Amino acid sequence: MKPKVLITRRVPQIGIDMVAAHCDIELWDSDLPIPRATLLEKVADKDAIYCLLTERIDDELLDAAPNLKVVSQMAVGFDNIDVAACTRRGIPVGNTPGVLTETTADFTWALLMSAARRIVEGVEYVRAGQWVTWGPLLLMGPDLYGATLGIVGMGRIGQAVARRAMGFGMRILYTDAQPIPGVAEEFGAHYVELDQLLAESDFVTLHTNLTPQTYHMIDAAALQAMKPTAILINAARGGVVDHDALVEALRTGQIAYAALDVTEPEPLPADHPLVHLPNCIVVPHIASASIATRTKMATMAAENLLAGVRGEPLPNRVNP
Ligand code: DGY
């Protein structure tokens, strides 16, 4: 009998086809997340789940899925998964590291440049028919070239962001749990404590995992420590930033601008102040959304899942 698999959303077809070639699949054939109650019902007879960061994989779900042999997530981040609970039950958890590094770094720069050079405001201005002349004072913003970039979290994506910063002649500061070997030599990046990074950076970009330690790491005090001209970029996880504090900081001019790919919660309600502040850009968690990268993520998730149902080691496993 073929293993039974639940795929929790429409994903790139190649991922579905790879799994369907070896398993009986049930696809939640929608662009919207599967409701929790339906998810709990559908996992009851499944050997494997191919899931997204929108599904909470916790003890309740694992109790509802007594046959589960593998959890394969089509994402690199896995803060939606109780990995310890999976480990206790001997269930491997797969993710998709590496393939989205460059794509996410590219997008970080798109956000950074859009915020600095006020691209979204410019587009809105033209669309509103307000463009009547060339203006010497119109929509001015800071230069990137020669500015100081502060990278919070110098993992794969942080390093890919640093590599691009070299082309802009930037001074690079970074912080992490400890200095990362080689990055000083490769990018000329200086390891500093978070306080110093916040105080000295013109751009602060977040690339840390969401953990209990990093939850609301950028809070009112952190925002207060930043320059009034600083721009904050978040392409990591929304929970790293205290959104109430960010609204206040943007409204009162404690910082100049924010550009967010990720929010807390997701989706951010359309009437949330961050959506409407003129000095904030919010986009719907699309940093990894290049066609090639989403295709690779879908195939990696399928490879992890197929290894799991065969009882083989997952090519990319997050639990020991
Ligand atoms: C991830 O993979 O964790 C991103 O946030 C979505 O691609």
Side-chain angles (χ1 to χ4, degrees):
M1 225 170 52
K2 287 183 176 177
K4 291 186 190 322
V5 175
L6 177 65
I7 303 180
T8 61
R9 194 88 67 87
R10 278 180 207 139
V11 296
Q13 189 61 39
I14 187 166
I16 299 172
D17 292 346
M18 284 171 68
V19 178
H22 303 278
C23 306
D24 276 339
I25 64 161
E26 183 169 359
L27 171 68
W28 181 252
D29 195 9
S30 169
D31 291 325
L32 294 177
I34 183 167
R36 178 76 179 172
T38 313
L39 174 65
L40 293 178
E41 196 185 292
K42 289 194 181 294
V43 291
D45 63 343
K46 299 298 186 288
D47 297 294
I49 180 166
Y50 184 122
C51 60
L52 306 181
L53 45 81
T54 41
E55 280 80 58
R56 208 172 65 248
I57 308 294
D58 55 7
D59 272 316
E60 183 190 31
L61 182 133
L62 298 172
D63 285 342
N67 302 333
L68 206 63
K69 294 177 186 58
V70 57
V71 172
S72 179
Q73 169 136 304
M74 193 190 125
V76 64
F78 49 84
D79 45 278
N80 58 312
I81 302 176
D82 184 340
V83 176
C86 293
T87 307
R88 278 196 301 276
R89 296 167 195 246
I91 299 174
V93 177
N95 72 337
T96 64
V99 288
L100 44 73
T101 301
E102 303 301 337
T103 306
T104 303
D106 284 349
F107 195 81
T108 299
W109 280 93
L111 285 176
L112 192 154
M113 289 198 258
S114 299
R117 302 306 307 275
R118 306 177 64 181
I119 301 282
V120 174
E121 287 169 88
V123 171
E124 283 170 357
Y125 184 84
V126 173
R127 286 201 174 139
Q130 291 175 294
W131 187 19
V132 287
T133 180
W134 181 83
L137 302 176
L138 183 62
L139 291 173
M140 295 189 294
D143 274 318
L144 276 61
Y145 196 83
T148 298
L149 176 69
I151 301 177
V152 179
M154 198 56 137
R156 282 181 292 255
I157 297 172
Q159 291 181 36
V161 168
R163 192 169 299 114
R164 286 154 175 76
M166 295 169 76
F168 287 100
M170 292 176 111
R171 171 177 175 241
I172 305 172
L173 304 178
Y174 78 96
T175 193
D176 209 313
Q178 61 216 5
I180 309 292
V183 302
E185 296 74 13
E186 191 172 351
F187 313 117
H190 305 284
Y191 178 80
V192 292
E193 295 298 328
L194 180 63
D195 287 356
Q196 187 183 344
L197 181 143
L198 295 173
E200 293 184 16
S201 298
D202 299 303
F203 302 94
V204 174
T205 184
L206 307 176
H207 301 287
T208 179
N209 291 336
L210 178 62
T211 65
Q213 290 70 40
T214 62
Y215 181 73
H216 285 194
M217 176 190 230
I218 304 299
D219 58 6
L223 291 159
Q224 189 81 55
M226 289 169 67
K227 295 183 181 184
T229 49
I231 293 178
L232 176 71
I233 318 297
N234 190 4
R237 284 292 183 266
V240 177
V241 178
D242 177 340
H243 284 26
D244 292 339
L246 180 59
V247 169
E248 183 66 11
L250 290 168
R251 273 192 180 140
T252 58
Q254 271 167 43
I255 69 166
Y257 226 104
L260 311 173
D261 179 48
V262 289
T263 60
E264 185 194 32
E266 289 185 7
L268 200 59
D271 61 355
H272 193 283
L274 289 175
V275 176
H276 298 283
L277 282 169
N279 53 348
C280 186
I281 298 170
V282 181
V283 293
H285 201 152
I286 52 173
S288 70
S290 78
I291 298 160
T293 291
R294 287 285 165 87
T295 303
K296 283 187 220 149
M297 289 165 70
T299 60
M300 280 175 83
E303 284 160 6
N304 283 333
L305 185 138
L306 292 173
V309 293
R310 290 178 186 133
E312 293 167 5
L314 272 49
N316 290 286
R317 174 172 167 154
V318 301
N319 49 355

